[in-house]
């Protein structure tokens, strides 16, 4: 749900379909990597790594990538315009 809302915010700000497609691919790749990391931590770690599992889960749930992508895409648009 957060990924869909983040994609909607990026589309509302930039209204560029190629940028939206690239962002969707990035979200998919990063989501798969984070889910694999969480699965690996759940399967192969002992109970002492609960903090690592907590932070991986936070990366999956919270819209951190949106906070990274918005300024990056904004500065890219400014650079292309000048």
């Amino acid at each position: 749900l957060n990924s869909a809302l983040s994609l909607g915010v990026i589309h509302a700000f930039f209204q560029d379909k190629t940028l939206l497609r690239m962002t969707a691919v990035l979200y998919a790749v990063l989501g798969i990597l984070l889910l694999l990391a969480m699965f690996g931590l759940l399967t192969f770690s002992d109970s002492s790594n609960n903090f690592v599992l907590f932070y991986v889960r936070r990366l999956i749930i919270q819209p951190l990538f949106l906070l990274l992508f918005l300024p990056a895409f904004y500065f890219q648009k400014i650079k292309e315009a000048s």
Side-chain angles (χ1 to χ4, degrees):
L1 181 64
N2 282 334
S3 298
L5 290 174
S6 296
L7 288 173
V9 168
I10 288 174
H11 179 67
F13 273 103
F14 299 107
Q15 298 175 353
D16 184 4
K17 291 190 188 249
T18 58
L19 185 67
L20 190 65
R21 249 183 270 135
M22 182 185 71
T23 307
V25 169
L26 283 172
Y27 268 109
V29 168
L30 293 171
I32 289 169
L33 289 175
L34 287 172
L35 286 174
L36 286 174
M38 188 159 181
F39 175 73
L41 285 170
L42 283 171
T43 304
F44 300 114
S45 70
D46 54 355
S47 63
S48 66
N49 286 336
N50 286 338
F51 287 113
V52 175
L53 185 63
F54 172 74
Y55 289 118
V56 169
R57 181 192 62 85
R58 282 188 72 179
L59 281 175
I60 293 172
I61 292 174
Q62 295 196 5
L64 181 67
F65 295 130
L66 179 64
L67 295 174
L68 294 173
F69 288 153
L70 272 178
F73 293 151
Y74 177 73
F75 287 121
Q76 180 183 3
K77 287 287 185 180
I78 288 175
K79 190 175 180 180
E80 286 177 359
S82 61

